[in-house]
Amino acid sequence: MDIIMPKNFVFLLIFNLTLTENVFSGNVLIWPTDGSHWLNIKIILEELTQRNHNVTILASSATLFINSDPDSPVNFEVIPVSFKKSDIDSLIEHMIMLWIDHRPTPLTLWTFYKELGKLLDTFFQINKQICDGVLSNPKLMSRLQKGGFDVLVADPVTICGDLVAVKLGIPFMYTLRFSPASTVERHCGKIPAPASYVPAALSELTDQMTFGERVKNTISYPLQDYIFQSYWGEWNLYYSKVLGRPTTLCETMGKAEIWLMRTYWDFEFPRPYLPNFEFVGGLHCKPAKPLPKEMEEFVQSSGEHGVVVFSLGSMVKNLTEEKANLIASALAQIPQKVLWRYKGKKPTTLGANTQLYDWIPQNDLLGHPKAKAFITHGGTNGIYEAIYHGVPMVGVPMFADQPDNIAHMKAKGAAVEVNINTMTSADLLNALKTVINEPSYKENAMRLSRIHHDQPVKPLDRAVFWIEFVMRHKGAKHLRPAAHNLTWFQYHSLDVIGFLLACVATAIFLVTKCCLFSCRKFGKTGKKKKRE
Amino acid sequence: MDIIMPKNFVFLLIFNLTLTENVFSGNVLIWPTDGSHWLNIKIILEELTQRNHNVTILASSATLFINSDPDSPVNFEVIPVSFKKSDIDSLIEHMIMLWIDHRPTPLTLWTFYKELGKLLDTFFQINKQICDGVLSNPKLMSRLQKGGFDVLVADPVTICGDLVAVKLGIPFMYTLRFSPASTVERHCGKIPAPASYVPAALSELTDQMTFGERVKNTISYPLQDYIFQSYWGEWNLYYSKVLGRPTTLCETMGKAEIWLMRTYWDFEFPRPYLPNFEFVGGLHCKPAKPLPKEMEEFVQSSGEHGVVVFSLGSMVKNLTEEKANLIASALAQIPQKVLWRYKGKKPTTLGANTQLYDWIPQNDLLGHPKAKAFITHGGTNGIYEAIYHGVPMVGVPMFADQPDNIAHMKAKGAAVEVNINTMTSADLLNALKTVINEPSYKENAMRLSRIHHDQPVKPLDRAVFWIEFVMRHKGAKHLRPAAHNLTWFQYHSLDVIGFLLACVATAIFLVTKCCLFSCRKFGKTGKKKKRE
């Protein structure tokens, strides 16, 4: 058998020989989330505009990344808010500092949760301002009503997109990476998650768990559910007020027509899901473009050793001087050339093999034939670019889903992790040597890449297909599980189990009574007979 | 917004503009099941041969439908067996008679199960002969070994395909409509099925159940599991003997790389599933071809009333004379022309509007613009053709999954059911009038048709894609849930729950002990103090 695997496998074309143009143009309303989330949804809306849809972005007046390209046909509806960009910036800074824990004395778990609580409260206040900015803004709402939108695509990390859609009377769908312990997907989306092999998101566990890990995982689910339920409790009141009837955030979220999950089975462990969940991870990935001339020359100068690409993402700007020196001295000891995205003061230990950049064309570098390894904070976008191009990783996770993401890549044999808080120069050096010199890491990264490329339909095309489907059919009701119509005790069949147990108990009771009665009666008769 | 829904929606072509040829040719071994199952897998292998794969069918010397087209490039490996075609024929006849229950006195449930048990035993003996015919046949096994097969595609209704693949050391996958109460999919494939909204296959329930129905459904699962476990117990011994180690049928079945399920969400109720399940229902459906001249003239003669297509499938040849007369007299009363596939004696009550045929081009008739309704026994293949062309149905289910299939179509508002045992002429007439004259039936059938046609990739293309995927990658391990590595009590976290309960019990015990100890101690001290 002669198997050649084409890089861009275009399976369908053999079957469908009629080339069709996009035959309809719809109106799409986007409810984005700022930060790295925006980079992902931006790709979807670019594709939508290319396919002749009218796209309108509904975003606050204080956004960091969400902006309008002057050449783009995308419309903006600005939500007036009183907070500033600097408030968001400081919120993010605060969050990162809390997670990375740069302070001299590490936080206790109690202080950590107290601080996290404060941050979440600030986040709630900011998010509530965004909601009010639309829902209590009759002029804006009236403009949106007149917009004739066919669908709202929301990133549910910023709450209220669903509520706006419900008020506008249009179907909505989500684009989502995850919620802690999949609380939203499980409770509002009704996706099952057996604790025995589906690791709770953020738990850093894999699908192969020891008994102890399964105990941790089993506890993890209700614990994170509890935190979620208590934090989002305020939203239940808000949603009830806006809709004028008692309801919950979860009930409204459960009305999503489709959940576009930003992972796939190259990244995620196989788990149960429902027909209205579509896994479109890596939809932003593209083939590499040529590098700028100077950068290409630097990359080529690496010879057979190749290059290491290093970025801690768009959210982290600087490290402490000490940490930067420690990293730089490790990088100086490898034969590869290093391209490091770093905006801080130049470390004194920086080697001649390392170049600092304010910004790097990360995807083009990872797709370069000379890319040997990727040092990453473990954001989903970056990991997917590494998977797409088959580059092994050294993970330096810091906050949010990053440690969990790196745990996935470690389990799949494509990454080594170093702890940013405790690492020494030698740790980073050894990690780099391992992923570059041990062939299994490259092989596993290539295996994930092959899995990613070999899908019947590309992730971006699937995402756009389902957005268009919802527009064409005014929803996707045929994919909606009937679980949404059940209460939690009906869903878990607790009423049925209770009834069946009651039946069994009654039967046992009756049989026992009959036996006792018979024993007494025949016992007495026996005794009587004996006496006689 | 201007929405036009193209009939053959070719979404991908807009994105993937490079037309590629199929770049590899693989060797596919097919393990089919006879009867209507063959009609379905035949379509897959025709597509595989068109895509330059070498296809070999492994079938017994006594098959009913499985045959070699002289023009087809498909190879046949014949399994020598001692039973005859007539044995299969009589087995099927016996089974149908048992279900339809033509006898003057209806069977009791006990007799039914006893008779069914006998039939299943005969089926086991026949199937075992097929297994032995391959596995205890060194010459055939050696030829298969030399065949260099890349994948085995099995219909698991005929047991042993998986075992042959394991012995040959090649990956295998299934093409399957269902197993009773999804026992195989649940226990061997690890697909979850919450009893609260996933109706057990064959239960004739839908996803919207009353309390009583949920009780029935909850009992249905373990009951059918029990029947399955006890019936297939013999296979566990057989599999253990062949593999030379203690194993079960289910363990081997669980090694399937992909499960190609012959349904989709136009037909099935949305339910949880796993990434290695692909729903390819209706893969055999095709646009209608022109009818033979004489038939076309008859169809055209129906005028604006249109025609009714009537077939009880390939397995049922005749009805009793009484039943045929009853049916014919109902058909004679409608203004439509009727094309009835019927091999029996011409009923005396046959109307001028009804034509009998030994065979009809069912798909071409259902795809004809004049098709108004379809009277069907409710086989999956026929129902899918009706869905594909958007034709409402009158269901006359008889055996196997037919009553369940019709229950699905009824729930989706595209069919009316009549009971073949108890129906009168008026029942059939009313059912026909309802689906033809009440617009909702046509609308619902059209809605299902739109859902069926509007998929990112056609079912047949998806089926072939995953067969080729398994060949390219020698499996699809990235889609395999880790649930397969767990015992049943680990899967349900019973050990973890037990451990946590023990912890709680210990904690309660210790706290109570401490309290009692304190009470006694301080109680005594208090009393002492009081006394002092």
Side-chain angles (χ1 to χ4, degrees), chain A residues 300-443:
Chain A
Q300 288 299 344
S301 73
S302 67
E304 64 178 8
H305 292 300
V307 298
V308 170
V309 185
F310 181 9
S311 167
L312 295 183
S314 52
M315 310 292 274
V316 175
K317 280 159 200 151
N318 292 316
L319 297 166
T320 60
E321 212 164 304
E322 184 200 350
K323 195 73 74 182
N325 273 320
L326 181 157
I327 291 170
S329 79
L331 299 177
Q333 295 170 61
I334 57 169
Q336 282 75 26
K337 295 281 167 89
V338 183
L339 297 101
W340 183 3
R341 179 190 176 169
Y342 183 60
K343 277 187 174 176
K345 197 185 144 200
K346 185 178 168 181
T348 51
T349 54
L350 199 74
N353 67 334
T354 309
Q355 288 264 14
L356 299 182
Y357 297 88
D358 270 10
W359 179 86
I360 51 169
Q362 187 172 287
N363 185 57
D364 305 332
L365 279 168
L366 290 172
H368 197 284
K370 289 216 180 286
K372 296 287 173 199
F374 179 35
I375 310 176
T376 172
H377 62 304
T380 317
N381 289 346
I383 287 187
Y384 256 113
E385 286 169 358
I387 288 177
Y388 186 90
H389 297 295
V391 179
M393 290 159 260
V394 170
V396 195
M398 285 176 285
F399 66 99
D401 57 337
Q402 296 162 7
D404 208 42
N405 295 345
I406 294 298
H408 282 222
M409 287 302 105
K410 268 166 69 186
K412 291 183 188 265
V416 165
E417 182 182 352
V418 288
N419 184 315
I420 189 140
N421 291 329
T422 60
M423 71 173 173
T424 62
S425 239
D427 291 339
L428 182 58
L429 182 62
N430 288 337
L432 269 170
K433 281 184 177 168
T434 306
V435 299
I436 294 169
N437 300 330
E438 276 186 28
S440 72
Y441 287 90
K442 178 67 184 174
E443 280 160 20

Side-chain angles (χ1 to χ4, degrees), chain A residues 222-277:
Chain A
L223 205 70
Q224 294 204 51
D225 284 357
Y226 174 75
I227 295 170
F228 177 90
Q229 305 278 357
S230 44
Y231 171 64
W232 301 111
E234 296 186 77
W235 285 114
N236 294 343
L237 297 173
Y238 188 88
Y239 272 56
S240 301
K241 204 179 117 198
V242 170
L243 294 177
R245 59 178 167 83
T247 186
T248 61
L249 170 68
C250 214
E251 195 194 334
T252 310
M253 293 187 96
K255 294 187 197 302
E257 303 289 339
I258 304 270
W259 299 64
L260 299 173
M261 305 303 292
R262 295 199 295 267
T263 50
Y264 182 63
W265 314 112
D266 42 10
F267 182 103
E268 195 56 82
F269 303 112
R271 55 161 296 157
Y273 61 104
L274 286 160
N276 58 347
F277 278 69

Side-chain angles (χ1 to χ4, degrees), chain B residues 115-126 231 234:
Chain B
E115 289 284 312
L116 189 67
K118 274 190 214 163
L119 272 176
L120 287 177
D121 199 50
T122 316
F123 191 70
F124 172 76
Q125 296 304 336
I126 283 177
Y231 170 63
E234 296 188 76

Side-chain angles (χ1 to χ4, degrees), chain B residues 257-446:
Chain B
E257 304 290 338
I258 305 270
W259 300 64
L260 300 174
M261 305 302 292
R262 295 199 296 265
T263 50
Y264 182 63
W265 314 112
D266 41 10
F267 181 103
E268 195 55 84
F269 303 112
R271 55 161 296 158
Y273 61 104
L274 286 160
N276 56 348
F277 279 69
E278 194 67 30
F279 292 79
V280 294
L283 59 81
H284 65 291
C285 296
K286 284 175 186 165
K289 292 193 299 288
L291 298 174
K293 192 167 165 276
E294 209 176 320
M295 195 177 270
E296 176 66 30
E297 280 168 12
F298 179 65
V299 168
Q300 287 300 343
S301 74
S302 67
E304 62 177 10
H305 292 300
V307 298
V308 169
V309 184
F310 181 10
S311 167
L312 295 183
S314 51
M315 311 291 275
V316 176
K317 280 159 201 153
N318 291 317
L319 297 165
T320 59
E321 212 164 305
E322 182 199 352
K323 194 74 72 183
N325 274 319
L326 180 155
I327 291 171
S329 79
L331 299 177
Q333 296 171 59
I334 57 170
Q336 283 75 26
K337 295 281 167 92
V338 183
L339 298 101
W340 182 4
R341 177 190 174 169
Y342 183 60
K343 278 187 175 177
K345 195 186 146 201
K346 186 177 167 180
T348 50
T349 54
L350 200 73
N353 67 335
T354 307
Q355 288 265 14
L356 300 182
Y357 297 87
D358 270 10
W359 178 87
I360 51 169
Q362 187 172 285
N363 185 57
D364 304 333
L365 279 168
L366 290 171
H368 197 284
K370 291 221 179 281
K372 295 288 173 199
F374 179 35
I375 311 178
T376 172
H377 62 304
T380 318
N381 289 345
I383 287 188
Y384 256 114
E385 286 169 359
I387 288 178
Y388 186 91
H389 297 296
V391 179
M393 288 158 262
V394 170
V396 195
M398 284 175 286
F399 66 98
D401 56 336
Q402 296 161 8
D404 208 43
N405 295 344
I406 294 298
H408 283 223
M409 287 303 102
K410 269 168 68 187
K412 292 182 190 265
V416 165
E417 183 182 352
V418 288
N419 185 317
I420 188 139
N421 291 328
T422 60
M423 72 174 174
T424 61
S425 238
D427 291 338
L428 182 59
L429 181 63
N430 288 336
L432 269 170
K433 280 184 178 169
T434 305
V435 299
I436 293 169
N437 301 329
E438 276 186 28
S440 73
Y441 288 89
K442 178 68 184 172
E443 280 161 20
N444 286 322
M446 285 307 294

